[in-house]
Amino acid sequence: MDGEDWDETAAEAQLRDMEREWEAQASGSLDYYAVLNVSRQASDEEVRDAYKRMSRQFHPDRHHDSEKREWAQRQFHDIHRAYEVLTDPRSRMAYDQLGEEGLGVSKAVGHKVRSARDLQAAFEREARRRRTEEVEQWTQSQSKITVELDSRRLTSLIIRDALVRQGVRHVALSDMVGLGGMFMKHSFAADLATGLSGSLTGQMFSRSKHGSGNVVGTLKYSPGTQSWASISVPALPPYAITLKSMHQPSLETFCSTQVVQHTPDLSTPPSATVTCGRLLFGTTTGTMTMRTGNQYALGSFWAASPTRVPQKAAGAKSLGRMLPREPSGVTLGLVGKHGDNNSFSADVTAGVQHSYVTARYTHQIDHHLSITGGAVLVGLSAPAPDGSYFRISDKDDTSFSGAQLPSTGLQRLGDISASVEMRAEIDSWTRLDWKVEFGLVSGVKATVAMRRLGHTVQLPILLSPLPEPLVAVCATLLPMAAALGLHYAVLRPRRQRFIQQQMSDLKEEQRSLLFQQKRRAEEAVRLMAASVDRSREDARAAGGLVIETALYGDLPFGIAAQDSNPLHAMLEHSNASRSALGSTDEFRACDVALPLQALVTNDQLVIAGGASKRSLPGFYDPAFGSPKSLFVRYRFRDRLHEALVKDDEPLAIPLRSHSLAEE
């Protein structure tokens, strides 16, 4: 579909399914459960019985003609391979988790004496590792660049009016936009041993002609998928050592810790942060975070810590740096989802120096675009610095000195701020973020960020020192309106063309395999023909189960609703199927009446669900990329029946509900 009727999420899901299906078909892989026509929960005895039934049809020794013997050898190879895999517990477990690729690693995940539960966990870990391996090779190198711009002289009407009152009417553009600060970080990571990885991170910070930098080495150990621990040590002062750990005892609970020691000589107390979370109900998780800060003392120990007394009194110059002062506090939070497209978070923090409440709500417009709104209420427990106005000072240009601005009067109370954020995916690897924050004390700030394959470029832009409504509205609405227009007018149509082209290319490539698949299916049918014809005639004479017509593919009629009127559904289904059978050709569906008859045992036919039926003997995929169904018209006890199921649904016949009224 085009335009507004196009469902992007469904189209992307269909493309992913086509890519997986194409990879499976191109590699020649089969669904071993479908090859033997058993369910994924089948016991070893059921697998052996299915293998024996298939062997009666396809064992090469049962065919004396040289050509048919060659056909039978190809068919029996798949049947015997499926039997070997599904009757070996280790191989079957590996196949269930990783497909045929897992069979190559089944010997590497553990010793044979390991329990089934241990093997299952090992294969699950291997499956997760393989799924993330491709992405990780792109993200082993990560970087972040932040450049803060100060455009308040250009964008703030209050500042410009204040400067005009002081006689400053003309300001050069180079003086209107300045560099507030810069932060750069780059890291490399590598696996050192099983469960052990290391990373090297370089970082620098510069502000007001002062800067610092460091190189930090990190070792991370993961004994399993449920826990990990790491230690980070800098190569240059300040030597702040950081310990982190995470443990997830179950899918519903987790606990993480972080301990930072800012001085190796233990002259300051370490700050510890512990966060515990648990799934409370539905999709909502509750968290509790406790922070000790680094301003506490144990009796006389750390009583004279530089973090507990004023910096000047502590001799900050002798330390060569300003030690961070981290207050203690406790935070209670909730994180969850509301419906399929909305998520929320809220937390309350109580601390010695300040307390605050935050809330965020995100609405996912579609798979590529989301809007987030947030609010923060900060209350100061300790007195704020006294001041009745803000000052803008520039030592290089005295014409800006002394610009006096009005005060909000809330510096002593704290701050009330809100934020609006939009996230848009440009392509599969690139994301663009735009965020505007505006507060009664903190003013207005906009941040634009671009993220691509683990690398981030971020530009915070200071727009106003005060909460100017016009600045906040323009910074919020104009960029978001432009983003929405770009999304719907340019990016979405481009993605639609790309997805449609990808689907077309995959279908074109699959046509080269269609002839080979069809030939294999026809070989299986010719091998089964003689015995199936005899069993069909015997069943017809005895009033047993006889498959009259069976079609598999993109069928031109729908599936009756489960809760529809049985009589109306029966008549509608019968009329639709009769009129549609004549219009169905081989390009959309294939005739599978004989292969289905071969699967009949004791006047019963059962086909397991949960996988495509294209791997059944005598089947092939005639409608790649399209939803497929299986239609069966059969006769049982001289009454005509019809059944229609989707490709991955099970089929069990005969059933009384399939019976049709004879004309």
Side-chain angles (χ1 to χ4, degrees), residues 620-646:
Y620 66 95
D621 186 354
F624 175 74
S626 299
K628 289 174 281 292
S629 304
L630 174 63
F631 170 81
V632 183
R633 178 185 293 168
Y634 63 94
R635 190 173 293 276
F636 181 68
R637 293 180 180 176
D638 296 327
R639 294 186 64 87
L640 194 63
H641 300 67
E642 287 185 0
L644 182 64
V645 294
K646 296 179 181 179

PDB file of all heavy atoms in Angstrom, residues 620-646:
ATOM      1  N   TYR A 620       6.926 -27.453  -1.223  1.00  0.00           N
ATOM      2  CA  TYR A 620       7.916 -26.410  -1.474  1.00  0.00           C
ATOM      3  C   TYR A 620       7.215 -25.066  -1.330  1.00  0.00           C
ATOM      4  O   TYR A 620       5.998 -25.005  -1.144  1.00  0.00           O
ATOM      5  CB  TYR A 620       8.561 -26.557  -2.860  1.00  0.00           C
ATOM      6  CG  TYR A 620       7.637 -26.339  -4.030  1.00  0.00           C
ATOM      7  CD1 TYR A 620       7.539 -25.092  -4.658  1.00  0.00           C
ATOM      8  CD2 TYR A 620       6.859 -27.383  -4.533  1.00  0.00           C
ATOM      9  CE1 TYR A 620       6.692 -24.894  -5.742  1.00  0.00           C
ATOM     10  CE2 TYR A 620       6.011 -27.194  -5.615  1.00  0.00           C
ATOM     11  CZ  TYR A 620       5.935 -25.945  -6.215  1.00  0.00           C
ATOM     12  OH  TYR A 620       5.096 -25.753  -7.279  1.00  0.00           O
ATOM     13  N   ASP A 621       7.981 -23.995  -1.385  1.00  0.00           N
ATOM     14  CA  ASP A 621       7.437 -22.649  -1.165  1.00  0.00           C
ATOM     15  C   ASP A 621       7.101 -22.010  -2.506  1.00  0.00           C
ATOM     16  O   ASP A 621       7.989 -21.515  -3.206  1.00  0.00           O
ATOM     17  CB  ASP A 621       8.453 -21.794  -0.409  1.00  0.00           C
ATOM     18  CG  ASP A 621       7.883 -20.433  -0.013  1.00  0.00           C
ATOM     19  OD1 ASP A 621       6.749 -20.126  -0.420  1.00  0.00           O
ATOM     20  OD2 ASP A 621       8.572 -19.681   0.705  1.00  0.00           O
ATOM     21  N   PRO A 622       5.828 -21.978  -2.890  1.00  0.00           N
ATOM     22  CA  PRO A 622       5.455 -21.385  -4.175  1.00  0.00           C
ATOM     23  C   PRO A 622       5.160 -19.889  -4.101  1.00  0.00           C
ATOM     24  O   PRO A 622       4.915 -19.257  -5.127  1.00  0.00           O
ATOM     25  CB  PRO A 622       4.190 -22.156  -4.533  1.00  0.00           C
ATOM     26  CG  PRO A 622       3.539 -22.400  -3.216  1.00  0.00           C
ATOM     27  CD  PRO A 622       4.654 -22.561  -2.207  1.00  0.00           C
ATOM     28  N   ALA A 623       5.142 -19.315  -2.896  1.00  0.00           N
ATOM     29  CA  ALA A 623       4.750 -17.899  -2.734  1.00  0.00           C
ATOM     30  C   ALA A 623       5.654 -17.253  -1.699  1.00  0.00           C
ATOM     31  O   ALA A 623       5.215 -16.875  -0.616  1.00  0.00           O
ATOM     32  CB  ALA A 623       3.282 -17.797  -2.336  1.00  0.00           C
ATOM     33  N   PHE A 624       6.933 -17.124  -2.036  1.00  0.00           N
ATOM     34  CA  PHE A 624       7.908 -16.573  -1.101  1.00  0.00           C
ATOM     35  C   PHE A 624       7.526 -15.146  -0.713  1.00  0.00           C
ATOM     36  O   PHE A 624       7.196 -14.320  -1.561  1.00  0.00           O
ATOM     37  CB  PHE A 624       9.295 -16.580  -1.743  1.00  0.00           C
ATOM     38  CG  PHE A 624      10.352 -15.927  -0.904  1.00  0.00           C
ATOM     39  CD1 PHE A 624      10.857 -16.557   0.214  1.00  0.00           C
ATOM     40  CD2 PHE A 624      10.831 -14.669  -1.230  1.00  0.00           C
ATOM     41  CE1 PHE A 624      11.828 -15.967   0.989  1.00  0.00           C
ATOM     42  CE2 PHE A 624      11.803 -14.060  -0.462  1.00  0.00           C
ATOM     43  CZ  PHE A 624      12.304 -14.713   0.646  1.00  0.00           C
ATOM     44  N   GLY A 625       7.580 -14.873   0.587  1.00  0.00           N
ATOM     45  CA  GLY A 625       7.290 -13.535   1.079  1.00  0.00           C
ATOM     46  C   GLY A 625       5.829 -13.231   1.289  1.00  0.00           C
ATOM     47  O   GLY A 625       5.489 -12.152   1.773  1.00  0.00           O
ATOM     48  N   SER A 626       4.953 -14.154   0.941  1.00  0.00           N
ATOM     49  CA  SER A 626       3.516 -13.936   1.110  1.00  0.00           C
ATOM     50  C   SER A 626       2.982 -14.877   2.189  1.00  0.00           C
ATOM     51  O   SER A 626       3.516 -15.979   2.379  1.00  0.00           O
ATOM     52  CB  SER A 626       2.768 -14.193  -0.208  1.00  0.00           C
ATOM     53  OG  SER A 626       3.208 -13.317  -1.220  1.00  0.00           O
ATOM     54  N   PRO A 627       1.939 -14.460   2.894  1.00  0.00           N
ATOM     55  CA  PRO A 627       1.331 -15.364   3.883  1.00  0.00           C
ATOM     56  C   PRO A 627       0.778 -16.601   3.191  1.00  0.00           C
ATOM     57  O   PRO A 627       0.066 -16.498   2.189  1.00  0.00           O
ATOM     58  CB  PRO A 627       0.218 -14.514   4.503  1.00  0.00           C
ATOM     59  CG  PRO A 627       0.577 -13.094   4.184  1.00  0.00           C
ATOM     60  CD  PRO A 627       1.291 -13.132   2.880  1.00  0.00           C
ATOM     61  N   LYS A 628       1.110 -17.753   3.710  1.00  0.00           N
ATOM     62  CA  LYS A 628       0.694 -19.004   3.082  1.00  0.00           C
ATOM     63  C   LYS A 628      -0.302 -19.745   3.967  1.00  0.00           C
ATOM     64  O   LYS A 628      -0.290 -19.592   5.182  1.00  0.00           O
ATOM     65  CB  LYS A 628       1.923 -19.886   2.800  1.00  0.00           C
ATOM     66  CG  LYS A 628       2.796 -19.353   1.673  1.00  0.00           C
ATOM     67  CD  LYS A 628       4.070 -20.142   1.511  1.00  0.00           C
ATOM     68  CE  LYS A 628       5.098 -19.736   2.544  1.00  0.00           C
ATOM     69  NZ  LYS A 628       5.601 -18.376   2.339  1.00  0.00           N
ATOM     70  N   SER A 629      -1.120 -20.531   3.299  1.00  0.00           N
ATOM     71  CA  SER A 629      -2.129 -21.342   3.986  1.00  0.00           C
ATOM     72  C   SER A 629      -2.170 -22.718   3.341  1.00  0.00           C
ATOM     73  O   SER A 629      -1.654 -22.929   2.234  1.00  0.00           O
ATOM     74  CB  SER A 629      -3.518 -20.689   3.906  1.00  0.00           C
ATOM     75  OG  SER A 629      -3.500 -19.380   4.422  1.00  0.00           O
ATOM     76  N   LEU A 630      -2.785 -23.634   4.045  1.00  0.00           N
ATOM     77  CA  LEU A 630      -2.978 -24.991   3.533  1.00  0.00           C
ATOM     78  C   LEU A 630      -4.479 -25.270   3.482  1.00  0.00           C
ATOM     79  O   LEU A 630      -5.159 -25.206   4.506  1.00  0.00           O
ATOM     80  CB  LEU A 630      -2.278 -26.014   4.433  1.00  0.00           C
ATOM     81  CG  LEU A 630      -2.527 -27.491   4.096  1.00  0.00           C
ATOM     82  CD1 LEU A 630      -1.996 -27.835   2.708  1.00  0.00           C
ATOM     83  CD2 LEU A 630      -1.906 -28.404   5.151  1.00  0.00           C
ATOM     84  N   PHE A 631      -4.974 -25.550   2.273  1.00  0.00           N
ATOM     85  CA  PHE A 631      -6.383 -25.895   2.086  1.00  0.00           C
ATOM     86  C   PHE A 631      -6.475 -27.387   1.784  1.00  0.00           C
ATOM     87  O   PHE A 631      -5.728 -27.912   0.951  1.00  0.00           O
ATOM     88  CB  PHE A 631      -6.982 -25.092   0.933  1.00  0.00           C
ATOM     89  CG  PHE A 631      -8.348 -25.568   0.522  1.00  0.00           C
ATOM     90  CD1 PHE A 631      -9.472 -25.182   1.229  1.00  0.00           C
ATOM     91  CD2 PHE A 631      -8.508 -26.418  -0.564  1.00  0.00           C
ATOM     92  CE1 PHE A 631     -10.726 -25.620   0.857  1.00  0.00           C
ATOM     93  CE2 PHE A 631      -9.758 -26.863  -0.946  1.00  0.00           C
ATOM     94  CZ  PHE A 631     -10.876 -26.461  -0.229  1.00  0.00           C
ATOM     95  N   VAL A 632      -7.382 -28.061   2.479  1.00  0.00           N
ATOM     96  CA  VAL A 632      -7.564 -29.502   2.288  1.00  0.00           C
ATOM     97  C   VAL A 632      -9.047 -29.789   2.110  1.00  0.00           C
ATOM     98  O   VAL A 632      -9.866 -29.385   2.941  1.00  0.00           O
ATOM     99  CB  VAL A 632      -7.017 -30.311   3.490  1.00  0.00           C
ATOM    100  CG1 VAL A 632      -7.148 -31.811   3.221  1.00  0.00           C
ATOM    101  CG2 VAL A 632      -5.570 -29.946   3.776  1.00  0.00           C
ATOM    102  N   ARG A 633      -9.373 -30.454   1.020  1.00  0.00           N
ATOM    103  CA  ARG A 633     -10.720 -30.999   0.829  1.00  0.00           C
ATOM    104  C   ARG A 633     -10.591 -32.514   0.860  1.00  0.00           C
ATOM    105  O   ARG A 633      -9.854 -33.095   0.062  1.00  0.00           O
ATOM    106  CB  ARG A 633     -11.317 -30.545  -0.502  1.00  0.00           C
ATOM    107  CG  ARG A 633     -12.712 -31.126  -0.760  1.00  0.00           C
ATOM    108  CD  ARG A 633     -13.210 -30.758  -2.135  1.00  0.00           C
ATOM    109  NE  ARG A 633     -13.435 -29.316  -2.215  1.00  0.00           N
ATOM    110  CZ  ARG A 633     -13.661 -28.663  -3.360  1.00  0.00           C
ATOM    111  NH1 ARG A 633     -13.653 -29.331  -4.493  1.00  0.00           N
ATOM    112  NH2 ARG A 633     -13.868 -27.371  -3.352  1.00  0.00           N
ATOM    113  N   TYR A 634     -11.277 -33.131   1.803  1.00  0.00           N
ATOM    114  CA  TYR A 634     -11.128 -34.570   1.978  1.00  0.00           C
ATOM    115  C   TYR A 634     -12.494 -35.210   2.175  1.00  0.00           C
ATOM    116  O   TYR A 634     -13.487 -34.559   2.500  1.00  0.00           O
ATOM    117  CB  TYR A 634     -10.209 -34.875   3.159  1.00  0.00           C
ATOM    118  CG  TYR A 634     -10.711 -34.395   4.510  1.00  0.00           C
ATOM    119  CD1 TYR A 634     -11.430 -35.241   5.361  1.00  0.00           C
ATOM    120  CD2 TYR A 634     -10.457 -33.100   4.953  1.00  0.00           C
ATOM    121  CE1 TYR A 634     -11.880 -34.811   6.599  1.00  0.00           C
ATOM    122  CE2 TYR A 634     -10.896 -32.658   6.189  1.00  0.00           C
ATOM    123  CZ  TYR A 634     -11.602 -33.513   7.001  1.00  0.00           C
ATOM    124  OH  TYR A 634     -12.052 -33.078   8.219  1.00  0.00           O
ATOM    125  N   ARG A 635     -12.517 -36.528   1.942  1.00  0.00           N
ATOM    126  CA  ARG A 635     -13.749 -37.308   2.112  1.00  0.00           C
ATOM    127  C   ARG A 635     -13.511 -38.336   3.202  1.00  0.00           C
ATOM    128  O   ARG A 635     -12.494 -39.037   3.220  1.00  0.00           O
ATOM    129  CB  ARG A 635     -14.129 -37.997   0.799  1.00  0.00           C
ATOM    130  CG  ARG A 635     -15.521 -38.637   0.814  1.00  0.00           C
ATOM    131  CD  ARG A 635     -15.885 -39.148  -0.567  1.00  0.00           C
ATOM    132  NE  ARG A 635     -16.049 -38.045  -1.509  1.00  0.00           N
ATOM    133  CZ  ARG A 635     -17.172 -37.334  -1.651  1.00  0.00           C
ATOM    134  NH1 ARG A 635     -18.226 -37.623  -0.893  1.00  0.00           N
ATOM    135  NH2 ARG A 635     -17.242 -36.371  -2.534  1.00  0.00           N
ATOM    136  N   PHE A 636     -14.479 -38.400   4.118  1.00  0.00           N
ATOM    137  CA  PHE A 636     -14.402 -39.357   5.209  1.00  0.00           C
ATOM    138  C   PHE A 636     -15.800 -39.872   5.488  1.00  0.00           C
ATOM    139  O   PHE A 636     -16.739 -39.077   5.698  1.00  0.00           O
ATOM    140  CB  PHE A 636     -13.804 -38.700   6.458  1.00  0.00           C
ATOM    141  CG  PHE A 636     -13.671 -39.623   7.633  1.00  0.00           C
ATOM    142  CD1 PHE A 636     -12.774 -40.677   7.604  1.00  0.00           C
ATOM    143  CD2 PHE A 636     -14.450 -39.443   8.769  1.00  0.00           C
ATOM    144  CE1 PHE A 636     -12.644 -41.520   8.695  1.00  0.00           C
ATOM    145  CE2 PHE A 636     -14.333 -40.289   9.856  1.00  0.00           C
ATOM    146  CZ  PHE A 636     -13.425 -41.337   9.819  1.00  0.00           C
ATOM    147  N   ARG A 637     -15.932 -41.184   5.431  1.00  0.00           N
ATOM    148  CA  ARG A 637     -17.226 -41.846   5.604  1.00  0.00           C
ATOM    149  C   ARG A 637     -18.243 -41.275   4.626  1.00  0.00           C
ATOM    150  O   ARG A 637     -19.387 -40.954   4.975  1.00  0.00           O
ATOM    151  CB  ARG A 637     -17.714 -41.699   7.047  1.00  0.00           C
ATOM    152  CG  ARG A 637     -16.846 -42.452   8.049  1.00  0.00           C
ATOM    153  CD  ARG A 637     -17.346 -42.286   9.470  1.00  0.00           C
ATOM    154  NE  ARG A 637     -16.487 -43.028  10.409  1.00  0.00           N
ATOM    155  CZ  ARG A 637     -16.629 -43.006  11.729  1.00  0.00           C
ATOM    156  NH1 ARG A 637     -17.603 -42.269  12.267  1.00  0.00           N
ATOM    157  NH2 ARG A 637     -15.815 -43.686  12.491  1.00  0.00           N
ATOM    158  N   ASP A 638     -17.776 -41.153   3.383  1.00  0.00           N
ATOM    159  CA  ASP A 638     -18.601 -40.715   2.258  1.00  0.00           C
ATOM    160  C   ASP A 638     -19.163 -39.309   2.428  1.00  0.00           C
ATOM    161  O   ASP A 638     -20.162 -38.957   1.778  1.00  0.00           O
ATOM    162  CB  ASP A 638     -19.755 -41.706   2.027  1.00  0.00           C
ATOM    163  CG  ASP A 638     -19.252 -43.076   1.629  1.00  0.00           C
ATOM    164  OD1 ASP A 638     -18.203 -43.127   0.952  1.00  0.00           O
ATOM    165  OD2 ASP A 638     -19.879 -44.075   2.022  1.00  0.00           O
ATOM    166  N   ARG A 639     -18.573 -38.510   3.268  1.00  0.00           N
ATOM    167  CA  ARG A 639     -18.979 -37.113   3.416  1.00  0.00           C
ATOM    168  C   ARG A 639     -17.792 -36.219   3.087  1.00  0.00           C
ATOM    169  O   ARG A 639     -16.653 -36.498   3.436  1.00  0.00           O
ATOM    170  CB  ARG A 639     -19.477 -36.805   4.833  1.00  0.00           C
ATOM    171  CG  ARG A 639     -20.774 -37.522   5.207  1.00  0.00           C
ATOM    172  CD  ARG A 639     -21.266 -37.043   6.572  1.00  0.00           C
ATOM    173  NE  ARG A 639     -21.619 -35.627   6.537  1.00  0.00           N
ATOM    174  CZ  ARG A 639     -22.816 -35.159   6.178  1.00  0.00           C
ATOM    175  NH1 ARG A 639     -23.776 -36.002   5.817  1.00  0.00           N
ATOM    176  NH2 ARG A 639     -23.058 -33.860   6.200  1.00  0.00           N
ATOM    177  N   LEU A 640     -18.099 -35.106   2.420  1.00  0.00           N
ATOM    178  CA  LEU A 640     -17.066 -34.168   2.006  1.00  0.00           C
ATOM    179  C   LEU A 640     -16.752 -33.199   3.144  1.00  0.00           C
ATOM    180  O   LEU A 640     -17.654 -32.688   3.812  1.00  0.00           O
ATOM    181  CB  LEU A 640     -17.528 -33.384   0.767  1.00  0.00           C
ATOM    182  CG  LEU A 640     -16.442 -32.611   0.005  1.00  0.00           C
ATOM    183  CD1 LEU A 640     -15.402 -33.570  -0.558  1.00  0.00           C
ATOM    184  CD2 LEU A 640     -17.074 -31.786  -1.114  1.00  0.00           C
ATOM    185  N   HIS A 641     -15.484 -32.950   3.338  1.00  0.00           N
ATOM    186  CA  HIS A 641     -15.012 -32.038   4.381  1.00  0.00           C
ATOM    187  C   HIS A 641     -14.026 -31.042   3.780  1.00  0.00           C
ATOM    188  O   HIS A 641     -13.385 -31.322   2.761  1.00  0.00           O
ATOM    189  CB  HIS A 641     -14.303 -32.799   5.518  1.00  0.00           C
ATOM    190  CG  HIS A 641     -15.166 -33.797   6.221  1.00  0.00           C
ATOM    191  ND1 HIS A 641     -15.645 -34.955   5.618  1.00  0.00           N
ATOM    192  CD2 HIS A 641     -15.629 -33.825   7.509  1.00  0.00           C
ATOM    193  CE1 HIS A 641     -16.350 -35.643   6.498  1.00  0.00           C
ATOM    194  NE2 HIS A 641     -16.358 -34.984   7.651  1.00  0.00           N
ATOM    195  N   GLU A 642     -13.893 -29.906   4.430  1.00  0.00           N
ATOM    196  CA  GLU A 642     -12.890 -28.917   4.034  1.00  0.00           C
ATOM    197  C   GLU A 642     -12.236 -28.317   5.278  1.00  0.00           C
ATOM    198  O   GLU A 642     -12.909 -28.099   6.288  1.00  0.00           O
ATOM    199  CB  GLU A 642     -13.501 -27.798   3.189  1.00  0.00           C
ATOM    200  CG  GLU A 642     -13.854 -28.217   1.777  1.00  0.00           C
ATOM    201  CD  GLU A 642     -14.347 -27.050   0.943  1.00  0.00           C
ATOM    202  OE1 GLU A 642     -14.410 -25.924   1.480  1.00  0.00           O
ATOM    203  OE2 GLU A 642     -14.669 -27.260  -0.236  1.00  0.00           O
ATOM    204  N   ALA A 643     -10.939 -28.027   5.154  1.00  0.00           N
ATOM    205  CA  ALA A 643     -10.194 -27.393   6.245  1.00  0.00           C
ATOM    206  C   ALA A 643      -9.206 -26.405   5.648  1.00  0.00           C
ATOM    207  O   ALA A 643      -8.661 -26.629   4.566  1.00  0.00           O
ATOM    208  CB  ALA A 643      -9.465 -28.441   7.081  1.00  0.00           C
ATOM    209  N   LEU A 644      -9.002 -25.331   6.359  1.00  0.00           N
ATOM    210  CA  LEU A 644      -8.074 -24.294   5.924  1.00  0.00           C
ATOM    211  C   LEU A 644      -7.327 -23.775   7.140  1.00  0.00           C
ATOM    212  O   LEU A 644      -7.936 -23.306   8.101  1.00  0.00           O
ATOM    213  CB  LEU A 644      -8.837 -23.144   5.243  1.00  0.00           C
ATOM    214  CG  LEU A 644      -7.994 -22.001   4.684  1.00  0.00           C
ATOM    215  CD1 LEU A 644      -7.091 -22.496   3.567  1.00  0.00           C
ATOM    216  CD2 LEU A 644      -8.897 -20.893   4.177  1.00  0.00           C
ATOM    217  N   VAL A 645      -5.997 -23.873   7.133  1.00  0.00           N
ATOM    218  CA  VAL A 645      -5.179 -23.425   8.258  1.00  0.00           C
ATOM    219  C   VAL A 645      -4.032 -22.575   7.732  1.00  0.00           C
ATOM    220  O   VAL A 645      -3.615 -22.702   6.579  1.00  0.00           O
ATOM    221  CB  VAL A 645      -4.618 -24.615   9.066  1.00  0.00           C
ATOM    222  CG1 VAL A 645      -5.737 -25.387   9.744  1.00  0.00           C
ATOM    223  CG2 VAL A 645      -3.777 -25.532   8.182  1.00  0.00           C
ATOM    224  N   LYS A 646      -3.542 -21.707   8.591  1.00  0.00           N
ATOM    225  CA  LYS A 646      -2.379 -20.901   8.242  1.00  0.00           C
ATOM    226  C   LYS A 646      -1.120 -21.766   8.239  1.00  0.00           C
ATOM    227  O   LYS A 646      -1.103 -22.880   8.749  1.00  0.00           O
ATOM    228  CB  LYS A 646      -2.227 -19.743   9.220  1.00  0.00           C
ATOM    229  CG  LYS A 646      -3.378 -18.750   9.168  1.00  0.00           C
ATOM    230  CD  LYS A 646      -3.172 -17.627  10.176  1.00  0.00           C
ATOM    231  CE  LYS A 646      -4.328 -16.642  10.141  1.00  0.00           C
ATOM    232  NZ  LYS A 646      -4.165 -15.546  11.147  1.00  0.00           N
TER     233      LYS A 646
END
